[in-house]
Amino acid sequence: MANQTQLLNKAQQICEQRGVRLTPQRLKVLELIVEHHSSISAYELLDLLRETEPQAKPPTVYRALDFLLAQGFVHKVESTNSYIACCVLGHADHSSQLLICDECGTVEECHDDELAKLLRQKAEKHGFRISNHVVESHGICHKCQNSEQ
């Protein structure tokens, strides 16, 4: 719980520094993503948000997600059309690798500066400058591998 609170406090602090508003709805959507501990779809978020805000509509969630993505507080898992909280808020080089378990659906974020460097170098050889990247890797997590045995 302390990590969740720290993450939400860090997001508020970053927004204040950047001069952008982390509205109560945006904060609530971020809180729901952080509490979920796995990837979550926009419609799952909408269902959870409606528990406290019955009038919430899909655009409410999508606007909040757009803001949270722009601020680097969440990542979109393109292959599953879902979202996870970023584990390193305010990281200067917003690049990450997502490990996606095809058995249980968990998504774990990790950072590898060497991989990011290699991707930047490869892109530069083609005259391309990367602003950010998210690499998705599918497989089977350690917990699911152990349950197979």
Side-chain angles (χ1 to χ4, degrees):
M1 184 63 157
N3 286 344
Q4 292 176 0
T5 303
Q6 289 173 343
L7 199 67
L8 297 173
N9 289 339
K10 177 76 172 173
Q12 289 176 316
Q13 179 186 22
I14 290 171
C15 285
E16 288 172 16
Q17 291 169 348
R18 293 177 179 167
V20 295
R21 289 191 59 226
L22 184 60
T23 63
Q25 276 188 332
R26 292 170 176 171
L27 180 61
K28 183 63 179 175
V29 170
L30 179 58
E31 185 180 323
L32 291 171
I33 294 170
V34 169
E35 288 174 352
H36 199 261
H37 298 293
S38 186
S39 63
I40 184 169
S41 74
Y43 279 94
E44 289 171 320
L45 281 166
L46 180 61
D47 289 342
L48 293 172
L49 187 60
R50 283 184 173 156
E51 291 176 12
T52 57
E53 298 182 36
Q55 76 287 0
K57 304 262 187 277
T60 305
V61 171
Y62 282 110
R63 280 192 299 268
L65 287 169
D66 287 344
F67 174 84
L68 297 172
L69 283 165
Q71 298 306 314
F73 298 160
V74 299
H75 297 290
K76 182 172 184 183
V77 183
E78 295 289 343
S79 61
T80 60
N81 198 24
S82 59
Y83 301 84
I84 64 163
C86 179
C87 64
V88 186
L89 297 187
H91 191 260
D93 182 18
H94 197 72
S95 302
S96 61
Q97 295 78 45
L98 303 179
L99 306 176
I100 304 162
C101 180
D102 293 327
E103 294 289 320
C104 67
T106 61
V107 180
E108 183 178 335
E109 179 183 11
C110 60
H111 295 269
D112 184 328
D113 292 334
E114 285 300 311
L115 177 59
K117 180 181 174 183
L118 287 170
L119 287 169
R120 269 194 310 278
Q121 289 172 345
K122 189 65 125 173
E124 287 169 3
K125 285 182 182 177
H126 294 278
F128 188 83
R129 185 176 61 212
I130 295 175
S131 57
N132 68 47
H133 76 256
V134 177
V135 175
E136 296 185 18
S137 299
H138 286 263
I140 301 174
C141 72
H142 184 37
K143 184 177 176 182
C144 289
Q145 288 176 50
N146 288 339
S147 68
E148 290 176 353
Q149 298 172 354

